[in-house]
Amino acid sequence: MERALCEPEWLARTYAMKKRQWVMCHGEGPVVAAAIHDGHDISVEVAQRLAIDDTRRLREEDPVTYRMTSTADNRITVTASRFLVDFNRPREKAVYRTPEDAWGMQVWREPPTPEMIDHSLAIYDRFYRELFDYLKVLQERYGRFVVLDLHSYNHRRDGPDAPPEDPERNPDVNIGTATLRDRPRWEDLIERVLADMRGFDYFGRRLDVRENVKFKGGYMAEWIHRNFEGSACVFSVEFKKFFMDEWTGNVDLVQVERLHTLLKCTIPGIEASLIRMGVKI
């Protein structure tokens, strides 16, 4: 049962989730792959109050990104839905309350109670406490480390039969690095990752890979850069949902596997760059 240690027992019983909301696994090497928006689980109490169904929730989540976390030995996967608590937003915005918080959607049929909000924020606080301890181990072991913060994004918001959004503003892969505080330190590594992705053979074509176009990196990346400045470089990797139908949720697993291979191809370059920075792997 997941709960903050300070929660009253009755609150933990009332809002308990059926399984752990995240898993942080340590492996070998200084690279972490994280999928914090893949989760779809919500509590019964939240489900009863939501105005949106499972399909609409899934559309705003990042399905199958958890599969791509096997890119690295160190993995962070989240099973809780962002509609329960969003770990990629500041604490005051971690529970969606208005349509402006949720892409214009009326999320709630009945607003969440203060107790429900408190419970979601207790989950949020525990996640960040555990994340700090988890990353501290990597910092102490290697000195510097890289986080691949994996996401996906919609590009057909006008409907399944409407034209997709302008590809000039919606690259196949958007790499968010804008929350990095000391970019010159990581410049060579960033350029190597971009070059490896742009040179990758994706079923006979090259993917449109650009930096800080659609997204510049979310709160988790900003938090990591702030708390591990000089030690951490986060790539917020946003895949456009060309590998799936964002309206039905149907996924082309062949394409997903190829995107996983794309991520794997960046690891040798990341490790080589870190070694040049003095990291012992």
Side-chain angles (χ1 to χ4, degrees):
M1 180 166 55
E2 279 300 314
R3 58 187 178 90
L5 295 178
C6 60
E7 286 179 333
E9 289 294 329
W10 69 268
L11 186 60
R13 287 196 301 269
T14 303
Y15 298 108
M17 300 284 285
K18 292 182 179 179
K19 55 186 177 182
R20 185 171 176 81
Q21 285 109 37
W22 62 81
V23 177
M24 298 182 186
C25 294
H26 276 296
E28 296 299 320
V31 182
V32 182
I36 63 172
H37 279 164
D38 182 274
H40 194 63
D41 291 351
I42 53 175
S43 66
V44 173
E45 292 78 14
V46 168
Q48 289 171 342
R49 289 173 176 262
L50 285 178
I52 57 175
D53 59 18
D54 280 357
T55 300
R56 292 184 71 190
R57 282 202 296 119
L58 184 66
R59 192 177 305 146
E60 304 302 340
E61 295 161 348
D62 298 345
V64 306
T65 50
Y66 83 94
R67 289 174 176 261
M68 301 180 193
T69 60
S70 60
T71 296
D73 277 357
N74 303 291
R75 304 173 64 185
I76 299 172
T77 55
V78 173
T79 60
S81 171
R82 65 191 305 176
F83 288 89
L84 177 76
V85 58
D86 191 335
F87 297 125
N88 208 31
R89 296 196 182 181
R91 191 178 191 275
E92 64 273 15
K93 292 290 187 179
V95 177
Y96 306 154
R97 307 185 198 211
T98 68
E100 290 72 28
D101 294 333
W103 311 276
M105 293 191 301
Q106 184 62 49
V107 174
W108 300 101
R109 181 174 53 82
E110 296 180 53
T113 65
E115 291 81 9
M116 292 168 68
I117 293 173
D118 286 347
H119 182 260
S120 289
L121 293 179
I123 294 172
Y124 181 94
D125 292 341
R126 181 167 180 176
F127 174 83
Y128 274 99
R129 287 197 301 270
E130 290 193 17
L131 181 61
F132 182 88
D133 292 342
Y134 177 87
L135 296 178
K136 190 68 175 176
V137 171
L138 291 175
Q139 184 187 46
E140 291 174 351
R141 183 179 298 171
Y142 298 105
R144 295 188 176 99
F145 59 90
V146 169
V147 179
L148 301 176
D149 174 27
L150 306 177
H151 299 270
S152 59
Y153 76 93
N154 296 321
H155 65 118
R156 308 188 72 101
R157 287 196 176 276
D158 291 338
D161 300 319
E165 295 177 21
D166 183 359
E168 285 300 312
R169 295 192 294 271
N170 294 268
D172 295 325
V173 187
N174 182 101
I175 305 296
T177 59
T179 65
L180 192 61
R181 296 182 165 205
D182 51 350
R183 184 189 174 92
R185 181 193 302 267
W186 304 94
E187 188 72 33
D188 289 345
L189 187 151
I190 292 169
E191 292 303 320
R192 176 63 186 270
V193 169
L194 290 170
D196 286 343
M197 286 191 170
R198 287 167 178 161
F200 183 76
D201 181 356
Y202 189 78
F203 300 111
R205 72 180 180 97
R206 296 292 186 262
L207 293 173
D208 177 12
V209 181
R210 283 179 279 160
E211 189 180 2
N212 299 323
V213 176
K214 185 76 174 181
F215 303 97
K216 297 185 177 182
Y219 179 76
M220 187 178 78
E222 188 277 327
W223 182 93
I224 293 172
H225 287 144
R226 173 163 36 88
N227 283 276
F228 296 91
E229 185 172 356
S231 295
C233 179
V234 182
F235 291 89
S236 294
V237 183
E238 293 270 0
F239 293 106
K240 185 162 67 176
K241 290 183 180 178
F242 58 84
F243 59 89
M244 65 177 293
D245 186 324
E246 66 191 54
W247 285 88
T248 66
N250 292 331
V251 176
D252 184 341
L253 292 178
V254 174
Q255 291 201 63
V256 171
E257 182 56 32
R258 194 64 182 157
L259 291 174
H260 175 261
T261 305
L262 165 68
L263 290 170
K264 289 285 286 185
C265 90
T266 68
I267 300 301
I270 290 173
E271 292 182 342
S273 295
L274 289 173
I275 288 170
R276 287 195 295 273
M277 297 172 76
V279 174
K280 295 182 179 180
I281 300 175

